[in-house]
DNA sequence: GTAGCTGCAAACAATTTGCACACCG
DNA sequence: CGGTGTGCAAATTGTTTGCAGCTAC
């Protein structure tokens, strides 16, 4: 019997308490149509007249990411960018959802891309090189139609 | 006539002067069989009894990377890892060489993997989403034969 | 009430930059 | 010599943590 564990795990994944700040963060995040840097989100919040601490933004964003409700992309500069992901209503398989993105390097707008072929490819080449327990990161950057040329 | 520009560009890419430090860095880098963090390389240098400033390591590593003679991988934690790449003797097409890696997440050992399919795939999905001027990052992590299980 | 949530400020780690000195060619 | 390369120390930047107070339930 490990009810305790499950409770703990649940608490870590889904927020126990709903607050003005968490709602605001989620709202702003949902309003964006692409990946945004933490600072950008924090700035947007302030422009909305909703003061939220930078710390809180970081913390809540990580909660969302852990819960699989947000995607994270680490650009080449190592700066983290977040985006709401999937619907998140049904938490059937929160963390197991695996996918990649095409991100506009000007505006951050993004589109999810399914890549069954890539998954297979990654496994194959890794195995061929004698590697096991394979994971991978794939991010595609480009210019969206609005910022082309 | 812009000889000046070319000279400047060349100076930025290939080192004009050879020094004890640059040789040491390249030696240590060549001795490694996988990606190493800047701090690790700096540490190795000191253990070899060759004092080199952290600053210099960073600077020279970037020179190598710019010249296409070293590969850089940004792990999920945003920390940069470097590795000597290719032979580097003939600087035919320094910066144009494009490839990916399988990296052991325990020891950093790595293998290059060619991925013509991936290049095509990236272009395709990006184009399908209305993106142009496409680039991508692909890194595969796993456990090498020595650290499996 | 009280545990969780917040947020300021300080701690942190990776990386960059200013500037005087050293040394290669 | 002359300028490129070096290295210390300080500045930057992105992110985390300690802790006192606030607040949702």
């Amino acid at each position: 019997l490990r009810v305790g564990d499950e409770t703990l795990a649940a608490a870590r994944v889904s927020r126990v308490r709903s607050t003005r700040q968490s709602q605001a963060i989620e709202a702003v995040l949902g309003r964006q149509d692409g990946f945004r840097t933490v600072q950008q989100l924090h700035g947007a919040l302030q422009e909305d007249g909703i003061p939220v601490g930078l710390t809180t933004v970081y913390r809540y964003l990580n909660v969302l990411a852990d819960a699989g409700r947000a995607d994270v992309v680490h650009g080449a500069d190592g700066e983290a960018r977040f985006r709401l992901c999937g619907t998140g209503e049904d938490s059937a398989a929160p963390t197991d959802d695996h996918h990649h993105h095409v991100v506009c390097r000007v505006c951050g707008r993004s589109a999810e891309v399914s890549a069954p072929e890539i998954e297979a490819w990654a496994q194959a080449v890794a195995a061929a090189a004698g590697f096991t327990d394979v994971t991978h990161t794939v991010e595609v950057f480009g210019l969206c139609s609005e910022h082309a040329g």
Side-chain angles (χ1 to χ4, degrees), chain A:
Chain A
L1 187 60
R2 50 184 196 283
V3 176
D5 289 320
E6 289 171 14
T7 304
L8 185 60
R12 201 175 291 150
V13 154
S14 66
R15 179 144 291 214
V16 171
R17 194 177 286 178
S18 167
T19 66
R20 173 180 60 80
Q21 291 89 329
S22 66
Q23 288 169 17
I25 295 176
E26 210 150 335
V28 176
L29 201 50
R31 187 182 316 146
Q32 309 297 328
D33 57 355
F35 283 86
R36 288 294 129 82
T37 196
V38 178
Q39 321 275 338
Q40 288 177 325
L41 293 170
H42 179 244
L45 249 2
Q46 298 205 305
E47 284 179 16
D48 283 12
I50 308 173
V52 178
L54 190 56
T55 307
T56 303
V57 180
Y58 272 107
R59 263 189 299 232
Y60 191 62
L61 245 25
N62 282 325
V63 170
L64 288 180
D66 284 352
R69 301 213 286 127
D71 285 323
V72 196
V73 171
H74 280 87
D77 52 4
E79 195 176 357
R81 287 173 186 69
F82 292 80
R83 181 186 110 154
L84 266 197
C85 140
T87 53
E89 280 86 60
D90 64 332
S91 50
T95 53
D96 288 15
D97 186 26
H98 181 70
H99 53 268
H100 305 289
H101 306 91
V102 200
V103 185
C104 176
R105 75 172 73 88
V106 174
C107 66
R109 182 169 307 171
S110 69
E112 279 187 17
V113 299
S114 61
E117 7 177 0
I118 300 308
E119 317 298 320
W121 169 84
Q123 293 293 330
V125 292
F131 285 68
T132 55
D133 193 11
V134 181
T135 64
H136 61 271
T137 67
V138 174
E139 299 302 340
V140 182
F141 299 95
L143 299 176
C144 73
S145 50
E146 219 147 291
H147 295 97

